[in-house]
């Protein structure tokens, strides 16, 4: 970790590899500063890792990077101990949080962090890039909450890119909060909702039997992607309702 006038620079890395006996080894489990990583009790052949916020942030000017790789038949589940809270800092520059995920053939990654909360006055750019082999499996959840209770949100820009076997199947960006161009909070955007989220589900079986595009309850939709993958998107008035919508839509895919 380094601290400079431009903010804190910190990174974490997780490498999961099949151990050849039906389990998953973690030969690399590294974190620094605000990005602490801890192994927790898994089940079956799955390894579980928790991201633990050891400091507040990201604050203005901070740059965080998290990389997770699952290869060689590994089964990896990554969560977080608490929500991530984007806050304003003394540095007025935007903060950056980059996530890089790689999943190899016959490997599986569940990326399930808690919500990202965009506090008033903050400015955060989140970039998530996922690269999967043709036989990989993925469950990725992103949830953003715009402002704390009774608070206007900060500015949040979030981009998600997913590639399967070198082909891009999803590349989308969401920008919201003060100063964002366009009507992000209007009828064509979030329509006054303060929680927004999505799931990306990649399963080789979807190649032969892709999910059907449909609405799921009020505020959520399921859409097949151009690959063995599906996208669930949802908006809700709060984080609790958002999680229920995403969990319900995911269960409907089974």
């Amino acid at each position: 970790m380094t601290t400079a006038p431009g903010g804190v620079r910190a990174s974490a890395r997780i490498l999961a590899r099949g151990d050849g006996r039906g389990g998953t080894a973690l030969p690399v489990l590294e974190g620094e500063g605000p990005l602490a990583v801890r192994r927790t009790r898994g089940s079956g052949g799955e390894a579980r890792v928790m991201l633990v916020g050891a400091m507040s942030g990201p604050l203005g000017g901070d740059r965080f990077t998290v990389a997770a790789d699952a290869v060689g038949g590994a089964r990896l589940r990554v969560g977080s101990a608490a929500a991530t809270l984007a806050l304003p800092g003394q540095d007025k520059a935007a903060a950056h949080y980059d996530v890089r995920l790689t999943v190899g053939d016959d490997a599986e990654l569940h990326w399930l962090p808690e919500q990202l909360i965009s506090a008033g006055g903050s400015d955060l750019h989140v970039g998530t890039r996922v690269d999967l082999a043709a036989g990989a499996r993925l469950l990725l959840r992103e949830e953003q909450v715009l402002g704390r209770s009774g608070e206007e949100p900060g500015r949040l820009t979030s981009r998600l890119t997913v590639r399967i076997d070198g082909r891009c199947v999803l590349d989308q960006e969401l920008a919201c909060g003060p100063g964002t161009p366009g009507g992000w909070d209007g009828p064509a955007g979030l329509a006054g909702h303060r929680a927004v989220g999505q799931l990306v589900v990649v399963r080789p079986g979807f190649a032969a039997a892709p999910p059907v595009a449909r609405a799921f309850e009020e505020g959520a939709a399921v859409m097949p992607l151009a690959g063995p993958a599906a996208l669930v998107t949802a908006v809700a008035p709060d984080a609790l309702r958002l999680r229920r919508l995403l969990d319900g839509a995911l269960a409907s895919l089974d």
Side-chain angles (χ1 to χ4, degrees):
M1 182 187 75
T2 61
T3 303
V8 172
R9 307 291 190 270
S11 63
R13 186 181 173 214
I14 304 162
L15 172 61
R17 189 184 303 277
D19 64 6
R21 302 186 301 275
T24 300
L26 294 172
V28 179
L29 196 61
E30 302 172 342
E32 55 184 6
L35 298 175
V37 288
R38 301 286 185 268
R39 182 166 191 166
T40 61
R41 184 183 299 275
S43 61
E46 180 184 74
R48 296 190 179 187
V49 174
M50 193 71 67
L51 292 169
V52 180
M55 297 168 56
S56 61
L59 307 177
D62 289 351
R63 286 184 174 270
F64 295 171
T65 303
V66 178
D69 303 310
V71 298
R75 293 176 57 205
L76 174 64
R77 178 185 293 260
V78 181
S80 61
T84 297
L85 181 60
L87 294 164
Q90 293 183 346
D91 193 305
K92 301 305 179 184
H96 293 260
Y97 199 131
D98 294 317
V99 177
R100 302 290 178 257
L101 308 177
T102 303
V103 190
D105 268 320
D106 196 33
E108 182 173 358
L109 172 63
H110 288 198
W111 183 262
L112 301 170
E114 294 302 311
Q115 298 90 357
L116 167 64
I117 301 172
S118 175
S122 65
D123 186 356
L124 176 64
H125 291 252
V126 179
T128 302
R129 188 180 69 209
V130 189
D131 289 286
L132 301 108
R137 296 170 64 90
L138 172 76
L139 172 59
L140 178 147
R141 182 179 68 210
E142 287 190 340
E143 297 171 314
Q144 289 103 23
V145 178
L146 306 180
R148 293 168 290 192
S149 179
E151 175 185 64
E152 287 299 308
R155 182 166 180 169
L156 174 65
T157 304
S158 176
R159 183 171 181 177
L160 172 62
T161 305
V162 180
R163 292 181 175 87
I164 302 175
D165 198 23
R167 183 177 65 167
C168 185
V169 300
L170 178 66
D171 190 354
Q172 68 175 26
E173 183 173 281
L174 170 69
C176 49
T180 301
W184 67 272
D185 203 24
L190 300 185
H193 292 95
R194 285 296 178 264
V196 57
Q198 56 194 350
L199 294 171
V200 178
V201 185
V202 178
R203 299 173 182 169
F206 284 167
V212 177
R214 64 190 188 279
F216 179 82
E217 298 188 17
E218 183 178 355
V222 178
M223 182 174 65
L225 299 177
L231 173 68
V232 177
T233 57
V235 294
D238 54 49
L240 181 60
R241 173 63 178 165
L242 178 67
R243 179 67 62 85
R244 287 175 176 170
L245 281 172
L246 293 176
D247 285 349
L250 176 62
S252 76
L253 294 174
D254 294 332

